[in-house]
């Protein structure tokens, strides 16, 4: 497509044949899109021999290039300096020609930009260097075609330096006015005097030489306003020059007895501006003595007197005398020399911990006569600190003190105290150092990742002016305790590496934080996950306990290994025991629980016991034996009728089937009766929400469980959150308690549909358009993809749908949509749903009445209207007569109702509140009554859709913010009677 809006084909193919080529013109300022009538294109292939149409051909004929745009051989482009140059060449031919550009006799500027497959050349903000001849070449294997562009850069008139200034000249002098301008084409200069054309008059010594006017032996009659106007086709510039030719005695322009003040040691300039013709001779005296010396400088014909490095003796009265041939004049200037401003107690450098407060002191000395203009200003790093009366302000300025409360790192910097008067100032600085916890380390790296001995290195962050004393390494493993960080190792503050010994068969992540005298800093970003290889256990259980609760039995228990210490699958414990100093052979048993009971033991006999851990990769280290005793005998013993304990085995083959976004089916293989160790009570299902895919970096700790009594092999679990990752386990329970949990199963819930959008409002933009605005849904249950909008034209009586339009809004960031072309005088209902990839959620709706135009409302008055109008006038007259009679009767009663009248004049707050009636409407052109409820413009104090209020209300009525029923004050309510349209129109935005 060309920049002119036309569509071009370099070579047409049969598949380009269409009947629906459409052109759309968008007017952004008025937010309007105009569509041209669809056009039809039919492409036919002609047989070279008989000119007949041929449907299929093996190859396309080669065609030499030609230029579809522009036409001809050469084009002239005239631009103003600073405009953008656009040169366009659109070729035709097969194969598709390649476009190349060149500038004749020069190289192309590096500011060029080629767009649209090099068909469009753009040079922004052209100047004189871009002027010249450009050539566009279209070339393919069959030949080439060229086009030339003559680019001419012009500019409107502009002053070469500055416009000519007004002049004061003596009678008989030479007056020269020069008007220097540049431009292309060369500007034409026109001279005027007092608004009339000023021409060359050699006889009267008045010359006009193009851009210069010369007045020889000028007289008072030559005074006036001279105008220079320079113009070319692109614009013009005009200047007025006031020329005054006269002789005048000196006139003092500076105020007499003007007071000057200067700080001792500073420079001062006193003014004596004089207007005279011819120029005056000016002299200065002080107390009758001519002013002179090394520290005195006169400039501009002594109209200015400058004294350098003033001293106390320079104060006093100065007289300026001006005279010329026409007369003389004088003025007096008074000079005062002040004491300099100094900071006698400057602020001192401070070190302060974050969260505390500090003070900076700045005590000045200054000339008391400048008390009214004296002030103390504080700046931090060059930025002024302003006074604040708010108690919440952290910067408090009291006299010569600056107090900083709740100091933080942003307060660190250079503080400058400025003691200032109207004449001078003095400054002093102090540096505030803030001590804070260290920043988090960065760039964590892990070496030797194939073994369980790794080296972790990092780059320390800023210590914030307090040296780091130590670094703490923390770890998190995602299998047993995901999301929980534990301390693993510490190193000195001068180290940036740590040697770590890790357990096997775990997914590790590491992070590091620094500690200084202020406290621990924030942790670093975690490293990538590191999977350690499985290995045999590194240690055996500890804290072995031997108890003899029953005769001839010995109960052995121990602290089991932590899950992170398993180092691999299949962890078991080998229990070995023998009588102390009696038996040589060890009795051995493999168990998975951290306890074991030895039966048929001798009464209160000593035993040696060893507990050794093992897994599928091998045994732990050789354990050391411990000594314990079996149970003692008793005189009386109750028989055990039932050996009941907690179940010993978890359910196996746990499987998960996701039914929908919130419901789950869990199944398992039934447990063996022997492992129940009592009567089976049922099953417990535990599930934990690990993360939401909408916030994958956020660690969740949402744990839930449900108990299902009875013997079963599957259950349904409700109440899950969509688009999340879960971990689930199952165990069995009996009367004694719960058995071990099954191996965890990880599953994912799919995306769901969003909830309703919280708000949907309409506003009236134009007579036939409405602006819809809404808020995004608070819960998306997935990745928001956009919105689905339906709007229906309703019958105002039956509320049936007359016509419907659907609109897919494919951007989730859009929260407003303007709808145009609505039928005036019609009621519309708008339904909006938020959508994810799983579908669209429930809609929120609102209604809007589009009023008719003024021409449709105004009609000719009928006879019935005239009768109604006459009746109304009669009723008004009758009411007026009754009001007069009542007033007369009340007046004749003479004060019987004084109390009532006083109450009417001064009602109490309660009665006033009851009697007040308010009608709200945010559109001045529409009254409240008779409007459509449910839209933004027509509700009482309500900015949301009426449908959304009904959804959340407890009853069926509508209430305002204070709880009053407003249905009787509102217009008709439109709802429920909506039928499906016969043929909705689908539009994709």
């Amino acid at each position: 497509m060309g920049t002119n809006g036309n569509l071009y084909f370099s070579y047409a193919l049969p598949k380009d044949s269409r009947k629906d080529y459409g052109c759309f013109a968008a007017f952004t300022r008025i937010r309007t899109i105009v569509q041209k009538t669809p056009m039809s294109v039919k492409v036919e292939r002609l047989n070279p021999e008989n000119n007949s149409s041929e449907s299929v051909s093996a190859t396309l004929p080669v065609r030499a290039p030609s230029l579809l745009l522009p036409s001809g051989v050469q084009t002239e482009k005239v631009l103003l300096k600073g405009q953008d140059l656009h040169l366009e060449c659109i070729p035709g031919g097969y194969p598709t020609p390649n476009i190349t550009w060149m500038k004749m006799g020069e190289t192309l500027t590096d500011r060029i930009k080629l767009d649209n497959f090099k068909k469009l050349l753009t040079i922004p903000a052209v100047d004189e260097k871009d002027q010249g001849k450009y050539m566009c070449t279209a070339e393919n294997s069959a030949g080439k075609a060229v086009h030339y562009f003559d680019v001419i850069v012009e500019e409107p008139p502009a002053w070469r330096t500055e416009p000519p200034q007004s002049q004061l000249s003596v009678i008989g002098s030479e007056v020269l006015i020069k008007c220097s301008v540049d431009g292309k084409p060369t500007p034409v200069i026109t001279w005027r005097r007092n608004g009339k054309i000023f021409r060359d008059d050699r006889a009267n010594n008045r010359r006009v030489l193009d851009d210069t006017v010369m007045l020889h032996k000028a007289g008072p009659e030559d005074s006036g306003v001279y105008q220079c106007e320079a113009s070319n086709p692109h614009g013009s510039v005009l200047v007025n020059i006031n020329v005054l030719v006269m002789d005048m005695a000196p006139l003092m322009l500076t105020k007499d007895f003007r007071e000057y003040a200067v700080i001792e040691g500073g420079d001062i300039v006193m003014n004596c501006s004089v207007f005279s013709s011819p120029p005056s001779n000016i002299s200065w005296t002080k107390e009758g003595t001519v002013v002179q010396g090394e520290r005195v400088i006169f400039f501009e014909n002594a109209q200015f007197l400058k004294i350098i490095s003033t001293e106390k003796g320079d104060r006093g009265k100065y007289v300026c005398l001006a005279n010329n041939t026409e007369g003389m004049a004088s003025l007096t200037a008074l000079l005062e020399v002040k004491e300099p401003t100094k900071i006698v107690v400057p602020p001192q450098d401070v070190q302060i911990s974050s969260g505390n407060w500090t003070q900076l002191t700045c005590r000045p000395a200054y000339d008391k006569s400048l008390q009214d203009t004296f002030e103390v200003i504080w700046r931090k790093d060059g930025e002024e600190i302003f006074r604040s009366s708010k108690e919440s302000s952290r910067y408090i300025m009291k006299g010569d003190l600056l107090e900083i409360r709740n100091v933080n790192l942003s307060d660190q910097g250079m503080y400058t105290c400025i003691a200032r008067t109207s004449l001078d100032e003095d400054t002093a600085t102090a540096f505030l150092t803030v001590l804070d916890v260290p920043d988090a380390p960065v760039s964590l790296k892990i070496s030797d990742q194939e073994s369980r001995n790794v080296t972790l290195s990092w780059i320390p962050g800023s210590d914030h002016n307090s040296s780091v004393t130590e670094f703490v390494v923390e770890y998190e493993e995602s299998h047993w305790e995901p999301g929980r960080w534990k301390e693993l190792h510490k190193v000195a503050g001068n180290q940036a590496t740590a040697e770590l010994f890790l357990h096997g068969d775990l997914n590790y992540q590491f992070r590091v934080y620094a500690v200084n005298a202020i406290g621990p800093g924030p942790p670093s970003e975690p490293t990538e996950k590191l999977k350690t290889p499985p290995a045999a256990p590194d240690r055996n259980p500890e804290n072995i306990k031997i108890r003899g609760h029953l005769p001839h039995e010995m109960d052995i228990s121990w602290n089991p290994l932590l899950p992170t210490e398993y180092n691999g699958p299949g962890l078991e414990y080998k229990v070995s025991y023998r009588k102390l100093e009696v038996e040589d052979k060890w009795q051995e048993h493999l168990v998975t629980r951290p306890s074991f009971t030895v039966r048929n033991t001798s009464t209160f006999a000593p035993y040696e016991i060893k507990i050794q851990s093992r897994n599928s990769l091998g045994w732990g280290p050789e354990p050391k034996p411990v000594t314990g005793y079996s149970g003692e005998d008793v005189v009386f013993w109750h028989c055990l009728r039932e050996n009941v304990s907690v179940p010993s085995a978890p359910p196996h083959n746990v499987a998960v089937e996701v039914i929908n976004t919130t419901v789950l089916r869990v199944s398992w293989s039934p447990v063996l009766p022997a492992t129940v160790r009592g009567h089976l009570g049922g099953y417990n299902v535990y599930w934990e929400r690990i993360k939401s895919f909408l916030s994958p970096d956020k660690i969740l700790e949402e744990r839930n469980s449900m108990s299902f009594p009875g013997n079963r092999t599957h259950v349904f679990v409700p109440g899950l959150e969509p688009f999340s990752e879960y971990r689930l386990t199952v165990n069995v329970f009996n009367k004694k308690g719960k058995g071990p949990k099954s191996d965890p199963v990880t599953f994912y819930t799919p995306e769901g549909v969003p909830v309703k959008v919280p708000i949907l409002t309409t506003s009236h933009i134009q007579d036939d358009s409405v602006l819809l605005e809404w808020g995004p849904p608070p819960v998306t249950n997935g990745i928001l993809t956009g919105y689905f909008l339906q709007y229906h034209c309703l019958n105002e009586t039956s509320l049936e749908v007359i016509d419907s339009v659907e609109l897919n809004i494919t951007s989730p960031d859009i929260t407003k949509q303007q709808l145009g072309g609505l039928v005036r005088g019609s009621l519309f209902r708008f339904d909006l749903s938020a959508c994810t990839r799983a579908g669209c959620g429930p809609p929120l709706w609102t209604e809007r009445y589009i009023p008719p135009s003024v021409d449709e409302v105004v009609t000719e008055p009928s006879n019935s209207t005239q009768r109604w109008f006459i009746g109304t006038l009669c009723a008004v007259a009758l009411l007026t007569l009754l009001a007069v009679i009542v007033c007369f009767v009340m007046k004749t009663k003479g004060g019987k109702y004084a109390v009532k009248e006083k109450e009417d004049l001064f009602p109490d707050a309660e009665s006033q509140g009851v009697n007040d009636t308010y009608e709200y409407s945010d559109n001045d052109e529409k009254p409240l009554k008779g409007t459509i409820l449910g839209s933004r413009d027509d509700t009482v104090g309500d900015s949301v859709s009426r449908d959304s209020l009904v959804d959340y209300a407890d009853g069926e009525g509508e209430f305002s913010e204070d709880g009053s029923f407003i249905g009787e004050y509102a217009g008709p309510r439109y709802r429920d009677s909506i039928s499906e349209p016969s043929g909705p129109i689908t539009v994709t935005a």
Side-chain angles (χ1 to χ4, degrees), residues 592 648-656 666-672 675 683 712-714 728-732 740-745:
T592 57
S648 61
H652 295 287
N653 300 324
V654 177
V656 170
V666 184
S667 61
W668 57 83
S669 299
V671 296
L672 297 176
T675 63
Y683 292 85
R712 60 182 73 201
T713 58
H714 72 274
L728 179 142
T729 57
V730 182
N731 68 1
V732 64
K741 293 182 181 179
S742 64
D743 292 334
V745 177

Side-chain angles (χ1 to χ4, degrees), residues 226-267:
Y226 289 78
Q227 294 175 313
C228 169
E229 182 179 14
S231 61
N232 69 6
H234 304 298
S236 62
V237 291
L238 176 69
V239 65
N240 293 324
I241 306 105
N242 294 308
V243 175
L244 185 60
V245 181
M246 61 183 298
D247 288 341
M248 180 179 178
L251 174 65
M252 290 295 180
L253 303 180
T254 302
K255 180 181 176 182
D256 198 10
F257 286 96
R258 181 175 176 180
E259 296 181 354
Y260 296 88
V262 65
I263 296 298
E264 183 179 3
D267 300 342

Side-chain angles (χ1 to χ4, degrees), residues 451-477:
S451 67
R452 294 196 295 143
N453 293 324
V454 301
T455 300
L456 179 66
S457 62
W458 58 87
I459 298 176
S462 172
D463 61 5
H464 293 306
N465 309 304
S466 178
S467 299
V468 174
T469 57
E470 65 179 3
F471 289 98
V472 180
V473 180
E474 294 184 318
Y475 77 95
E476 181 257 356
E477 57 84 22

